[in-house]
Amino acid sequence: MMQAKALLIQAIRRVELDPANDGLPPLVVIMAMVEEKALFPLSEGEEVLLLLPPKDVWERQFLGRLPHHEPGSRPMGLEEALRWYEEHVRWKALGLPVTLLTGALR
């Protein structure tokens, strides 16, 4: 899945940076759980908005979600999800170019 997301990011960048698309409105892409190496460094004009509520709110939302996953996939447990949360928090601490959006989100 992570390889597929990395390939999707590459495809989006090719479309967005194609000279034939100059002057068109920018793309807005929403993704979850993206590896740092697939996303950074950013190209000119790219921006990462990291939507990350406080950890206690995020954990409560994660635990309160309905149990569902796509056929052929595996459900993600809290331990794995917490690793992803910490990975994304780390981006800001490393000084990566992200705009952190926090607060209680619904």
Side-chain angles (χ1 to χ4, degrees):
M1 181 58 84
M2 290 296 117
Q3 286 179 325
K5 287 182 180 183
L7 291 172
L8 178 60
I9 290 169
Q10 288 177 13
I12 291 166
R13 284 181 169 145
R14 283 191 181 172
V15 168
E16 183 69 8
L17 298 175
D18 188 305
N21 294 323
D22 286 352
L24 294 176
L27 295 174
V28 175
V29 179
I30 300 170
M31 296 185 82
M33 300 182 316
V34 177
E35 290 181 321
E36 177 183 324
K37 67 183 179 184
L39 195 56
F40 299 103
L42 299 179
S43 298
E44 184 179 331
E46 287 184 309
E47 182 179 11
V48 173
L49 303 176
L50 183 56
L51 187 61
L52 204 60
K55 190 174 184 177
D56 62 322
V57 172
W58 177 89
E59 188 172 338
R60 189 172 61 251
Q61 289 174 338
F62 181 85
L63 293 172
R65 69 186 183 155
L66 295 174
H68 172 76
H69 63 278
E70 297 299 319
S73 69
R74 62 173 180 75
M76 182 181 298
L78 180 60
E79 186 176 314
E80 181 181 2
L82 285 170
R83 280 195 305 271
W84 276 106
Y85 183 92
E86 294 302 326
E87 173 69 15
H88 290 98
V89 167
R90 187 177 136 275
W91 291 0
K92 188 68 175 172
L94 287 174
L96 292 172
V98 299
T99 300
L100 187 58
L101 304 175
T102 61
L105 308 168
R106 296 176 203 217

